[in-house]
Amino acid sequence: MKATAVANANIALVKYWGKRDARLILPQNGSISMTCDGLSTKTTVEFSGEYRKDTVIINDEELQRDEKDILGHIEKIRGLAAISHHAKIVSETNFPVAAGLASSASGFAALTMAAAAAAGLELSQKELTVLTRQGSGSASRSICEGFAEWHKGNSSDGSDSYAESIAGRDHWPGFRMIACIVSEAKKKVSSRSGMAQTVATSPYYDGWLKTVEQDIGTIRNGIKSKNFSAVGLTAEQNCLKMHALMLTTKPVIVYWIPATVEIIQHVLAWREEGLECYFTIDGGPQVKVMCLQENEKELQDKLLRLEGVKKTIACRPGDGAALSNSHLF
Ligand code: 2P0
């Protein structure tokens, strides 16, 4: 009863920021993301009668505060499989955790896939995304390869709120997401509590919901037809609309630091000069710059010359989550 899975992080092109059901993790709107090759989490789960309690070890540290209810998610999987053994869970992530690089997405995707396999559940990919979603919403997209769409769904039981790949990893191999690391500090407001505050208090939330479907259509079509300008510009505008929601939340949520704004200003100036690039920012200060492969090197050189940029990681569309035979223990 032991299995290991590897999953990549994903960066949203149309963002998820708000739930209509917090228990089942049902979103207010659909979202679209790119699964990022190389930003991965590997997780081994074993259920055994020998274990006296559940243990979770992430990047060599035993979990002390279960903010995202990892053990609640394991309990749900035990219930589905009708088993009662305790679990040992060991997880390793190869990029900065909790600073807005979607570590919980890759983490919950790898955890769910490994735990479901270790528990003997046989799930379709769609069912796996539904189960993963109940651990962490954006993680449902990390199950899928290339470009993923998480459908909002309408049913109250959440069975139609699932993710699927809308284009495989080799559909658009020249698409690049350059993650610029500007800070490795842990964020002060979690996405989970931040988005709940936004839905409850931002006067702009209705405006967000009114335009998000259109962004989904533009980006889905843009990915299918490889229209970089349409995808980049719409993703950038969608990101700014989400941050406008954060800025109008009470109490206010500001994830940006000076280096975030420095990169925004430069991306806009470089684009003005003819170097096509767009930015997107999530629940943290890091900026991800979208470009095509032919401009990757020039942009990475320019970004690394900025004072606030500590490091860049360029990703292409990556694989969906997969089981592995090499266990972590
Ligand atoms: C996204 N984010 O679409 C957006 C953009 C952050 C900003 O999904 O409560 O960690 O576990 O469902 O998935 C972060 O939210 O929240 C997120 P839960 P999650 O990528």
Side-chain angles (χ1 to χ4, degrees):
M1 298 187 81
K2 181 177 190 172
T4 298
V6 182
N8 285 315
N10 71 77
I11 300 298
L13 303 170
V14 179
K15 309 293 188 187
Y16 150 55
W17 194 255
K19 298 177 176 66
R20 65 178 198 279
D21 181 320
R23 188 180 60 86
L24 288 172
I25 309 198
L26 296 175
Q28 290 273 0
N29 60 270
S31 53
I32 295 184
S33 59
M34 185 188 99
T35 302
C36 296
D37 184 46
L39 294 184
S40 70
T41 299
K42 182 176 194 177
T43 301
T44 299
V45 178
E46 182 174 44
F47 293 102
S48 164
E50 312 248 296
Y51 297 135
R52 292 284 142 249
K53 63 176 180 83
D54 294 322
T55 40
V56 182
I57 298 163
I58 300 174
N59 294 331
D60 297 326
E61 272 187 48
E62 192 165 338
L63 186 79
Q64 304 298 345
R65 280 175 52 223
D66 192 3
E67 282 171 15
K68 280 257 177 171
D69 202 13
I70 291 171
L71 294 176
H73 196 51
I74 289 295
E75 187 56 28
K76 181 170 289 148
I77 291 168
R78 268 196 289 257
L80 287 171
I83 58 171
S84 55
H85 293 331
H86 286 296
K88 178 174 177 183
I89 298 156
V90 177
S91 189
E92 282 177 7
T93 295
N94 70 354
F95 59 95
V97 172
L101 272 191
S103 56
S104 83
S106 58
F108 267 92
L111 174 74
T112 309
M113 185 178 239
L121 291 176
E122 284 179 18
L123 302 176
S124 65
Q125 190 185 68
K126 180 177 172 181
E127 289 166 334
L128 186 60
T129 70
V130 169
L131 181 58
T132 303
R133 186 205 78 224
Q134 294 170 68
S136 182
S138 57
S140 62
R141 301 186 308 236
S142 274
I143 298 292
C144 308
E145 72 162 310
F147 295 87
E149 178 169 355
W150 172 16
H151 300 279
K152 156 180 160 330
N154 293 307
S155 79
S156 56
D157 69 357
S159 55
D160 59 352
S161 184
Y162 67 99
E164 65 178 336
S165 176
I166 54 173
R169 55 164 287 154
D170 296 325
H171 166 71
W172 199 354
F175 194 101
R176 288 290 177 282
M177 188 74 79
I178 306 176
C180 303
I181 311 296
V182 295
S183 165
E184 301 206 9
K186 193 173 176 343
K187 60 184 169 191
K188 292 198 186 89
V189 182
S190 73
S191 295
R192 187 161 289 188
S193 65
M195 67 173 79
Q197 280 299 110
T198 296
V199 176
T201 65
S202 172
Y204 294 166
Y205 203 74
D206 284 346
W208 160 261
L209 291 178
K210 275 193 192 119
T211 62
V212 78
E213 281 302 322
Q214 200 177 344
D215 292 348
I216 287 179
T218 305
I219 293 209
R220 190 198 295 121
N221 292 337
I223 289 168
K224 289 193 171 157
S225 61
K226 294 185 238 179
N227 181 342
F228 181 64
S229 306
V231 171
L233 194 60
T234 309
E236 187 178 284
Q237 286 167 345
N238 184 270
C239 148
L240 290 169
K241 284 189 281 187
M242 178 184 71
H243 284 271
L245 295 178
M246 294 166 171
L247 293 174
T248 50
T249 294
K250 291 179 211 156
V252 65
I253 304 165
V254 188
Y255 285 123
W256 299 3
I257 61 173
T260 312
V261 181
E262 182 190 16
I263 300 171
I264 291 175
Q265 301 280 21
H266 280 90
V267 165
L268 294 175
W270 294 331
R271 200 155 83 220
E272 199 66 31
E273 291 161 12
L275 178 59
E276 194 171 15
C277 54
Y278 303 90
F279 61 84
T280 189
I281 305 158
D282 293 290
Q286 330 300 356
V287 182
K288 294 90 184 187
V289 178
M290 292 166 273
C291 68
L292 291 172
Q293 186 179 10
E294 60 255 34
N295 295 323
E296 175 186 346
K297 193 176 173 314
E298 182 180 354
L299 268 167
Q300 232 172 337
D301 289 347
K302 282 182 183 297
L303 287 162
L304 282 169
R305 267 186 250 126
L306 301 183
E307 204 182 330
V309 177
K310 293 184 197 292
K311 192 177 156 188
T312 59
I313 310 168
C315 304
R316 45 162 284 161
D319 284 321
L323 291 170
S324 158
N325 289 326
S326 80
H327 302 304
L328 289 172
F329 63 91

